[in-house]
Amino acid sequence: MSSKKPESKREPANRVLEITRIFSAPRHLVFEAWTNNEHLREWCAPKGFTIPFSEGNLRPGGKWRSCMRMPDGTECWLSGVYREIVPDQLVEFTHAWEEDGKRGHETVVTVKLSDYGKKTKMVLRQSLFESVASRDGHQGGWAQCLDRLAAHLK
């Protein structure tokens, strides 16, 4: 029996985002940065953005919600549900932007952490985007967030 997924079930690679980063910090600290609101408020938004509101119930099935404020004052709300939490190893959650009080297209973000010598290897995967343009926009946003995370971990 083949282990391949049927063609109709396979995710289109051009609508999946995967980013790998190495952080000069222990895995436990990187996990805390992903799961503790005090850390998240410091890095989990693009450069120039702030996070005036962030809350979450860190457990499978627990909800989270956050607001990113753009430099011009525009507020961008997003929310989701934690799907899986493995301390110091894995955080998986759904992610959707909100507009006019309604949640938009939902993606799944999976963050896997592993030791890399005395550093931490992080693999972030987000899927399935509605379009390549949406994926590319998130890639740019995550790149800025992860640069801020690297600086925060120092």
Side-chain angles (χ1 to χ4, degrees):
M1 185 175 228
S2 173
S3 62
K4 282 186 168 182
K5 292 181 181 179
E7 198 63 38
S8 63
K9 299 284 186 184
R10 187 174 295 157
E11 292 182 336
N14 67 350
R15 294 191 346 216
V16 176
L17 174 61
E18 191 166 296
I19 300 171
T20 301
R21 288 281 182 108
I22 307 297
F23 295 106
S24 296
R27 196 163 29 122
H28 177 74
L29 182 57
V30 178
F31 179 80
E32 285 291 314
W34 274 97
T35 58
N36 181 305
N37 274 335
E38 289 180 28
H39 287 290
L40 286 164
R41 285 188 180 116
E42 296 297 318
W43 70 269
C44 199
K47 186 178 179 182
F49 286 55
T50 59
I51 301 176
F53 176 85
S54 179
E55 69 178 12
N57 184 356
L58 187 67
R59 64 169 182 76
K63 295 180 180 180
W64 66 271
R65 190 165 188 246
S66 184
C67 175
M68 286 194 276
R69 184 173 291 142
M70 299 170 73
D72 69 3
T74 302
E75 292 186 347
C76 305
W77 288 86
L78 56 158
S79 61
V81 175
Y82 289 106
R83 292 171 46 146
E84 189 174 0
I85 307 290
V86 179
D88 301 341
Q89 295 178 41
L90 175 75
V91 179
E92 184 175 85
F93 54 92
T94 61
H95 176 288
W97 296 98
E98 298 177 7
E99 273 191 56
D100 301 321
K102 295 181 183 176
R103 295 183 81 234
H105 178 75
E106 186 173 84
T107 59
V108 175
V109 178
T110 304
V111 179
K112 293 182 180 179
L113 305 174
S114 59
D115 291 330
Y116 191 80
K118 293 186 177 188
K119 299 178 180 183
T120 299
K121 179 179 179 181
M122 181 216 69
V123 178
L124 179 148
R125 184 177 195 280
Q126 186 173 8
S127 66
L128 192 64
F129 289 97
E130 285 186 296
S131 67
V132 172
S134 180
R135 180 209 61 197
D136 291 350
H138 281 81
Q139 182 170 17
W142 279 121
Q144 289 182 42
C145 292
L146 297 173
D147 288 348
R148 290 181 70 185
L149 174 56
H152 176 70
L153 290 169
K154 291 181 181 180

